[in-house]
Amino acid sequence: MTTTTMPPVLSWPRRAARAAYVVYGAAVIAAVMVPTWFATLFVRRPARALALQRLASRLMLAALGCRFVVRGAWPPSGTGARVLVANHTSYLDIPLMLAALGGDFVFVTKSELLGWPIISRLTRAGGHIPVDRERAASRAAALGRIVAALRAGRSVLLFPEGTFSHDDRLRPFHAGAFRCAVTAGVPVVPIGVCGVAGVWSQHARFPRPGRIEVDVGEALVPTGGDDADEIERLETEALRFITAALGHD
């Protein structure tokens, strides 16, 4: 049996296409993020800043060819704050959640991202909550801000895995999100995000065109029982829904 090798010259069109897409992706992100950053300089209300960020996220994903579909219990029935918990797949998750989900919510993000001027401004303008996971004091302060936001009527989006892998493999959940829900007495809404691994692979610099599915579960309502038992129950039920949404056993 003989094998044939593709002549090296044939790889140049592919390399050129990849380089062109990197340039295009960088141009899209700059064209969306810079005006959004500038607009937030004149916005004083976090809800308006969030609306700008939602619009920017939708424009950016559309320009990059990242389509998404939302299924399940969204928009939620009733009123009031909720703790939204989703599996963490990539840096695309926050723009995706902003684009896919309506309503007034803040998200929890890594404090190291505040070192990026544009990201820092967008985070502060929207009233989002940074946390340094390596510092106990920062984690405690973030939990306090989450509970305060919930009691003020703003929903909060968290990724209970704390970090992500470039695939759909779930990491163990941390209990912080569920503890905040029990403390504030608000429901937990589990969200399963599937398909990001095919849109933004581990070695890619930017997302590529593709389809992402966002499955939203029914609200899990605290019953007011023993705090430890309630935290464990909410975590278990949220994990069960997200696992099923990703098609895991």
Side-chain angles (χ1 to χ4, degrees):
M1 178 181 295
T2 60
T3 59
T4 59
T5 302
M6 182 180 293
V9 69
L10 295 182
S11 66
W12 283 104
R14 182 176 298 176
R15 293 181 182 177
R18 289 178 179 175
Y21 185 76
V22 168
V23 172
Y24 172 74
V28 164
I29 293 174
V32 172
M33 296 296 287
V34 173
T36 304
W37 165 81
F38 184 75
T40 60
L41 296 177
F42 304 95
V43 172
R44 295 294 178 264
R45 293 177 55 189
R48 291 185 177 178
L50 180 66
L52 284 171
Q53 293 167 18
R54 179 171 290 116
L55 175 61
S57 296
R58 289 173 176 170
L59 290 173
M60 182 178 70
L61 292 177
L64 292 173
C66 299
R67 298 171 289 111
F68 60 85
V69 58
V70 181
R71 300 183 301 208
W74 195 269
S77 59
T79 59
R82 296 167 174 81
V83 171
L84 313 176
V85 294
N87 57 302
H88 206 358
T89 64
S90 71
Y91 290 117
L92 191 65
D93 288 339
I94 286 178
L96 173 64
M97 293 293 101
L98 287 171
L101 306 180
D104 182 21
F105 67 87
V106 297
F107 54 77
V108 178
T109 185
K110 300 176 182 178
S111 60
E112 51 261 41
L113 294 180
L114 297 182
W116 303 359
I118 292 180
I119 299 298
S120 176
R121 174 59 197 171
L122 295 177
T123 298
R124 299 184 191 281
H128 306 300
I129 302 171
V131 59
D132 183 347
R133 294 172 301 160
E134 304 301 321
R135 296 177 56 241
S138 178
R139 295 196 302 270
L143 291 176
R145 291 186 62 188
I146 292 168
V147 172
L150 293 169
R151 288 175 171 167
R154 298 195 82 184
S155 295
V156 181
L157 168 69
L158 301 100
F159 301 101
E161 294 169 278
T163 188
F164 63 83
S165 301
H166 287 276
D167 53 37
D168 61 356
R169 175 169 50 90
L170 279 174
R171 292 173 175 266
F173 280 6
H174 298 283
F178 310 99
R179 181 176 295 110
C180 289
V182 170
T183 301
V186 302
V188 173
V189 176
I191 302 171
V193 180
C194 187
V196 175
V199 171
W200 199 345
S201 66
Q202 181 176 2
H203 303 292
R205 296 184 181 180
F206 297 101
R208 62 185 180 185
R211 185 174 185 269
I212 301 170
E213 297 178 354
V214 180
D215 288 308
V216 183
E218 296 287 346
L220 308 173
V221 182
T223 62
D226 179 84
D227 285 358
D229 291 342
E230 277 297 277
I231 292 169
E232 183 178 0
R233 180 183 68 85
L234 293 174
E235 180 179 346
T236 299
E237 293 187 14
L239 178 60
R240 182 182 299 119
F241 175 84
I242 293 173
T243 299
L246 300 184
H248 297 337
D249 295 331

